[in-house]
Amino acid sequence: MAEPPHGEPLHYDVAGSGPVLLVLPGGAGHPMGLGPLTERLAAHFTVVTYDPLGLAHGRLGLPVAEQRVADWSEGAHRVLEAVLPEGGSAYVFGTSSGGITALDLLARHPGRLAHVVAHEPPCVTVLPDGESRRAVLIGQLDGPGRPPSQGAEATPYGVFLARVLRPFTAHVPAFTAPPGGLTLAAGADSARQPLYDTAGLLAERLAGGFVEFPGGHLGTLDHPVAFADLLTDTLLRSSARTSE
């Protein structure tokens, strides 16, 4: 963990060796369940897993304000500044809310990024019927009896529902990605669902590639080895194209 000159400490974990791969978890940014994925990736990369709210670093249960995509992406940038050598660049993988963060990071700091893979970012308002899709999505997830977001019984999912879900699903990326710098990803089991459609539309709108990954929205958890291997191949192929 490193502390920036101003503001709260940054919370992240590092494993493996090789080129830097910044991993941005979904939900409220807690990396729970990502161990098998990051362990597999660590055979090829220095995997830096960012925990934007510090929920896995002793802060779960503390009050959390409504979150902003820009704050998460600027925090991710500060992490990269802490771990990268001067002039270096990193790969980035983000899933769900972390995928939205990855898109915003690419918009703000493209010079520090070698390639970004954004998996099922739930910014569904880009769809033609996006507002109604967002309302349905929020209704499905944020029903009565949701888990608490603070106190001794707080859960990361409770924090996500209370402080992350609404502002992040309202986010609309507004940039053109550098050529070859972006891949949108969606799970094979998500086909014909809103987040698959969102990823496909963003790939077109942001001039990025599109890759179908194993599983559904939680493919990182359900198929960690196959997911990690395809992610590794996607990132390394992007490097090969850039060097040609």
Side-chain angles (χ1 to χ4, degrees):
M1 184 181 74
E3 187 169 346
H6 303 287
E8 293 294 321
L10 296 173
H11 301 276
Y12 59 90
D13 297 296
V14 181
S17 60
V20 171
L21 168 58
L22 178 64
V23 173
L24 304 172
H30 192 299
M32 60 183 180
L34 291 182
L37 176 82
T38 57
E39 181 179 353
R40 184 77 170 185
L41 292 170
H44 300 278
F45 304 98
T46 298
V47 181
V48 180
T49 306
Y50 179 39
D51 176 10
L53 299 179
L55 300 183
H57 294 81
R59 298 188 61 83
L60 181 61
L62 299 179
V64 176
E66 184 168 277
Q67 295 301 291
R68 299 173 62 244
V69 174
D71 291 340
W72 283 31
S73 66
E74 285 305 313
H77 177 245
R78 293 198 302 272
V79 170
L80 291 180
E81 291 295 303
V83 301
L84 284 174
E86 184 176 355
S89 60
Y91 297 113
V92 177
F93 167 70
T95 183
S96 192
S97 51
I100 293 178
T101 304
L103 294 176
D104 197 59
L105 179 63
L106 181 59
R108 295 171 183 272
H109 303 286
R112 293 296 259 169
L113 310 184
H115 196 85
V116 170
V117 175
H119 176 255
E120 297 204 4
C123 35
V124 293
T125 57
V126 301
L127 296 172
D129 55 349
E131 288 298 339
S132 62
R133 294 275 192 118
R134 178 173 177 261
V136 170
L137 179 63
I138 290 174
Q140 290 172 336
L141 297 177
D142 196 10
R146 71 185 185 191
S149 61
Q150 64 184 70
E153 302 301 319
T155 69
Y157 190 58
V159 177
F160 166 69
L161 293 177
R163 301 303 186 193
V164 180
L165 174 62
R166 292 176 182 274
F168 273 58
T169 55
H171 180 75
V172 178
F175 71 100
T176 299
L182 173 65
T183 296
L184 272 298
D189 295 345
S190 298
R192 298 180 298 278
Q193 297 178 16
L195 298 188
Y196 191 104
D197 295 343
T198 298
L201 180 59
L202 287 173
E204 297 177 6
R205 187 169 294 181
L206 304 178
F210 179 84
V211 175
E212 192 174 84
F213 272 69
H217 192 59
L218 300 180
T220 54
L221 308 182
D222 297 334
H223 305 280
V225 172
F227 198 106
D229 289 349
L230 181 53
L231 177 58
T232 298
D233 182 62
T234 301
L235 294 173
L236 296 183
R237 280 191 290 107
S238 75
S239 291
R241 288 195 300 267
T242 302
S243 62
E244 291 176 353

